[in-house]
Amino acid sequence: MYNARSDTLYDKRTFRDLALRGQTAVVAVDGFYEWKESEKSAIGGGSGKQPYYVHRSDGKPLLIAGLWTSVPTGREHGYDGKPEMLTTYTLLTTDACPKLQWLHHRQPVFLWDNAEAMEWLQDPSQTLEK
């Protein structure tokens, strides 16, 4: 799944179990693009989407809370016969903060410092998630 809603994280078994097992992740990015429907184009009359780059004003990376898991691909490794596994992750999302509401109604869950990121990795709790 591409995103996991943080407001239902501990209600949905798939995501809850990953959090409770400590399968948490922190994804560091310089920024991300959010696409917004644009006005009708003066040329051609069509509408399209306008990309907006979201990033920290201080240039530091954004730390995004996530979850990870490994699933079998259905294939076996040729050299040892063990099942091939695919490790995948999802990002947590929440309601957009006031500064981003004009752009989209949801946003990633940001961890604002290394201490918060370490806590999410070592002791993910409902209190921290909120």
Side-chain angles (χ1 to χ4, degrees):
M1 302 216 174
Y2 185 71
N3 290 327
R5 293 178 67 100
S6 64
D7 41 309
T8 59
L9 175 65
Y10 288 94
D11 298 331
K12 299 198 176 190
R13 193 177 124 228
T14 300
F15 298 131
R16 179 192 64 226
D17 291 352
L18 293 175
L20 293 176
R21 285 196 303 261
Q23 289 179 253
T24 53
V26 174
V27 179
V29 298
D30 291 329
F32 63 94
Y33 285 94
E34 189 62 64
W35 295 78
K36 183 170 179 65
E37 200 69 37
S38 63
E39 300 294 324
K40 284 194 171 192
S41 170
I43 300 173
S47 64
K49 291 191 174 189
Q50 171 71 40
Y52 291 89
Y53 185 63
V54 179
H55 60 93
R56 285 180 60 153
S57 60
D58 61 9
K60 292 181 180 179
L62 291 167
L63 304 177
I64 302 172
L67 301 167
W68 68 271
T69 191
S70 292
V71 294
T73 65
R75 297 186 296 227
E76 293 181 355
H77 289 290
Y79 58 90
D80 63 7
K82 291 183 181 178
E84 181 182 79
M85 300 296 284
L86 173 68
T87 300
T88 184
Y89 70 95
T90 187
L91 302 178
L92 296 185
T93 64
T94 189
D95 292 330
C97 68
K99 284 188 174 184
L100 292 179
Q101 287 175 349
W102 68 274
L103 183 57
H104 198 277
H105 67 282
R106 304 285 294 172
Q107 72 174 50
V109 171
F110 299 120
L111 302 166
W112 290 109
D113 58 40
N114 289 344
E116 244 181 31
M118 289 305 295
E119 189 175 351
W120 176 246
L121 290 172
Q122 296 172 348
D123 186 25
S125 67
Q126 288 182 347
T127 303
L128 176 63
E129 175 268 324
K130 289 185 186 321

